[in-house]
Amino acid sequence: MKDILSREIQEYINANLNTDLHSLLLKKSPFPEVMMQQLVQQIKGKKVALKKFPFLLKDNIVFPPNLNLEQASSQATAEFKAGNFEGKKFLDLTSGFGIDAYFLSQKFEEVTLVEQNTELLEIVKHNWTVLNRNANFINENLENFLAKNQDKFDLIYLDPARRDEHKNKKFLLEDLSPNLLEIQDQLFNFSNEVLIKLSPLIDISYLISVLNHIVEIQIIAVKNEVKELLVFLKKNQNGENKLITCTNLESDEPSFSFQYHWEKEAVSEYSEPLQYLYIPNNAVLKSGGFNSISEHFNLKKLHPNTHFYTSDDLRTDFPGRILRIEIIESKAVKKGEKYNIISKNYPLTPDEIKKKYKIKDGGEHYLIFTQSLKSKIILRSV
Ligand SMILES: C[S@@+](CC[C@H](N)C(=O)[O-])C[C@H]1O[C@@H](n2cnc3c(N)ncnc32)[C@H](O)[C@@H]1O
């Protein structure tokens, strides 16, 4: 690791940020002490950091292999998580590249990072020195660490890795390392609060059925792409109340929260399209709070099978897209016009619609093809 920190090599890395990495790999390294593969790894890391963790764009920061870059959280989601937590002692049992830990631990006095991958932990240790941050770095399997540990912590954080990245079957907690089902009760011997990051592919009702002590599940999207589920557990909290919070970062949409068990009791009323159409963001869609959102914002639904809502009063605080709309006849769709086309619960796909009406993608307005309780409808944003 020391070799790549020399000034010449750091300059070479910075000078090649826009070079094609495949062709670079075919060349011989200009530095006898470092292989081209290592140089390319650093260039790749810096390129990823530009978008994913810009706080690491400093001289002498070392980047790990691709898999660890991919597994690491983004700065945006890590900073968001950090907002809510403070205390004396913080423990991250699956430190990885340490992005979450770096932000989550900012308001803690003592930080402990556990990571089984020796090279990765060495890199994190080095980077944290460059960043002027202290921690206890423990290179161990977390199960062994917990078996010996005598300390108590104010917050334990886990971001388990998938055992097999290519598994397509139903996503279960048993597919993760560590297996949370095996260690969940043990964790409360060491802390009253546990925060777990999980893939958005995991089903929320399944999580609630297998994890104990859940107080809140946060669904975090960035620019409407759902990135992670955050599960917050508190010792001795086994009541019915579990808050679901949906957040779309890097948008101006407000967060939306509802009680999981209220969703079953909440009722959506239906209506033909009114002045405004509301399309929930993907975090809300992932949450399944379809009746809760209808009740909370006093909106009517168009149809049981589509999550389109409508009202005559404008609700600007709705977490999603809001369009002022009119219902149009199909003959009002003119050949050659440009629209953003949405088709939900309608027999034709957007491509089929484009072909049939000879219209193009784009422009400022939306055309929405869907159904109300009465009939198929076409809505146009105005
Ligand atoms: C998804 S990554 C964590 C990424 C991290 N949150 C970040 O933002 O950089 C998971 C890490 O947990 C580590 N890990 C998985 N199972 C472990 C275990 N049983 N003991 C210790 N570390 C483990 C893996 O080596 C991997 O580096």
Side-chain angles (χ1 to χ4, degrees):
M1 180 155 62
K2 261 198 203 118
D3 292 331
I4 56 171
L5 298 176
S6 75
R7 199 148 62 97
E8 295 77 15
I9 294 186
Q10 289 289 306
E11 279 171 5
Y12 180 86
I13 291 167
N14 288 334
N16 281 287
L17 289 178
N18 294 320
T19 310
D20 175 53
L21 299 185
H22 294 289
S23 52
L24 208 56
L25 268 174
L26 300 174
K27 291 190 184 156
K28 200 168 164 273
S29 166
F31 309 100
E33 68 278 24
V34 180
M35 291 192 317
M36 189 48 110
Q37 223 176 340
Q38 289 170 282
L39 295 172
V40 168
Q41 186 174 308
Q42 296 311 308
I43 297 168
K44 179 86 205 280
K46 228 173 193 167
K47 286 171 90 147
V48 172
L50 268 168
K51 288 203 177 126
K52 201 169 172 184
F53 7 84
F55 79 107
L56 291 181
L57 290 172
K58 287 195 163 152
D59 278 346
N60 295 329
I61 290 290
V62 174
F63 294 97
N66 262 346
L67 176 69
N68 308 118
L69 293 174
E70 279 162 21
Q71 284 186 337
S73 290
S74 67
Q75 180 171 345
T77 57
E79 276 177 329
F80 173 76
K81 278 170 220 151
N84 299 328
F85 297 99
E86 58 188 322
K88 275 202 173 128
K89 288 174 139 204
F90 170 83
L91 169 66
D92 187 338
L93 285 172
T94 55
S95 150
F97 190 34
I99 306 295
D100 282 324
Y102 181 83
F103 290 98
L104 262 171
S105 68
Q106 253 161 4
K107 288 190 227 145
F108 287 80
E109 290 165 22
E110 197 185 317
V111 180
T112 302
L113 305 185
V114 178
E115 171 56 54
Q116 66 191 6
N117 178 332
T118 311
E119 292 81 35
L120 182 57
L121 193 65
E122 279 305 309
I123 291 177
V124 176
K125 205 170 171 178
H126 162 83
N127 287 345
W128 281 42
T129 312
V130 174
L131 297 164
N132 224 348
R133 284 287 293 280
N134 287 325
N136 310 311
F137 297 93
I138 298 178
N139 181 209
E140 199 161 13
N141 175 300
L142 71 90
E143 289 82 358
N144 292 345
F145 169 81
L146 290 178
K148 285 183 279 183
N149 175 57
Q150 304 277 332
D151 283 348
K152 298 260 189 231
F153 299 89
D154 297 296
L155 178 67
I156 297 182
Y157 178 66
L158 291 116
D159 174 8
R162 281 199 80 163
R163 278 177 208 277
D164 175 358
E165 293 291 326
H166 305 292
K167 246 184 201 169
N168 281 324
K169 63 176 183 136
K170 196 174 165 212
F171 200 138
L172 301 173
L173 292 183
E174 288 95 320
D175 300 336
L176 299 176
S177 172
N179 180 346
L180 295 167
L181 302 181
E182 281 169 3
I183 62 166
Q184 60 170 327
D185 291 332
Q186 193 191 6
L187 294 173
F188 289 108
N189 296 336
F190 310 113
S191 178
N192 290 339
E193 300 193 352
V194 175
L195 183 67
I196 303 170
K197 173 185 155 185
L198 292 166
S199 156
L201 296 176
I202 277 204
D203 184 69
I204 291 177
S205 56
Y206 159 72
L207 268 186
I208 288 179
S209 70
V210 293
L211 284 181
N212 305 321
H213 313 288
I214 296 180
V215 267
E216 181 169 6
I217 298 180
Q218 296 220 5
I219 300 157
I220 303 171
V222 180
K223 293 196 183 100
N224 209 21
E225 190 183 334
V226 183
K227 296 285 187 187
E228 50 191 68
L229 298 186
L230 263 190
V231 188
F232 184 47
L233 315 174
K234 254 186 171 171
K235 194 172 183 172
N236 301 330
Q237 297 263 336
N238 260 330
E240 231 191 354
N241 287 350
K242 297 177 196 327
L243 196 66
I244 311 285
T245 298
C246 314
T247 302
N248 186 14
L249 298 175
E250 296 178 26
S251 80
D252 47 20
E253 294 164 7
S255 291
F256 171 66
S257 298
F258 64 97
Q259 286 290 345
Y260 182 77
H261 73 281
W262 285 354
E263 172 60 23
K264 279 181 244 129
E265 281 146 46
V267 187
S268 295
E269 289 177 29
Y270 294 91
S271 161
E272 292 302 298
L274 302 168
Q275 275 200 59
Y276 295 97
L277 183 78
Y278 301 83
I279 308 173
N281 66 36
N282 286 328
V284 175
L285 291 178
K286 168 72 195 175
S287 78
F290 304 124
N291 295 329
S292 302
I293 202 155
S294 176
E295 273 200 354
H296 180 92
F297 289 98
N298 199 13
L299 305 173
K300 307 273 195 296
K301 254 186 131 183
L302 290 190
H303 192 277
N305 297 349
T306 29
H307 307 302
F308 286 151
Y309 300 84
T310 190
S311 74
D312 272 330
D313 301 328
L314 176 60
R315 293 299 309 252
T316 50
D317 51 347
F318 182 81
R321 197 178 294 148
I322 306 167
L323 302 170
R324 202 149 76 82
I325 46 150
E326 57 183 2
I327 306 177
I328 59 165
E329 299 283 325
S330 62
K331 59 178 183 277
V333 183
K334 295 275 179 301
K335 205 168 129 181
E337 282 180 334
K338 275 189 165 181
Y339 286 106
N340 299 295
I341 299 161
I342 298 176
S343 166
K344 289 266 159 68
N345 201 18
Y346 194 81
L348 301 179
T349 65
D351 277 340
E352 289 166 340
I353 289 167
K354 265 188 278 175
K355 246 193 189 161
K356 176 171 174 187
Y357 292 96
K358 301 191 171 58
I359 50 177
K360 294 186 192 131
D361 266 330
E364 282 176 23
H365 292 280
Y366 285 84
L367 265 193
I368 298 121
F369 294 77
T370 187
Q371 291 185 45
S372 67
L373 282 186
K374 274 198 202 145
S375 62
K376 291 195 206 77
I377 40 173
I378 307 176
L379 306 171
R380 181 164 60 192
S381 66
V382 290

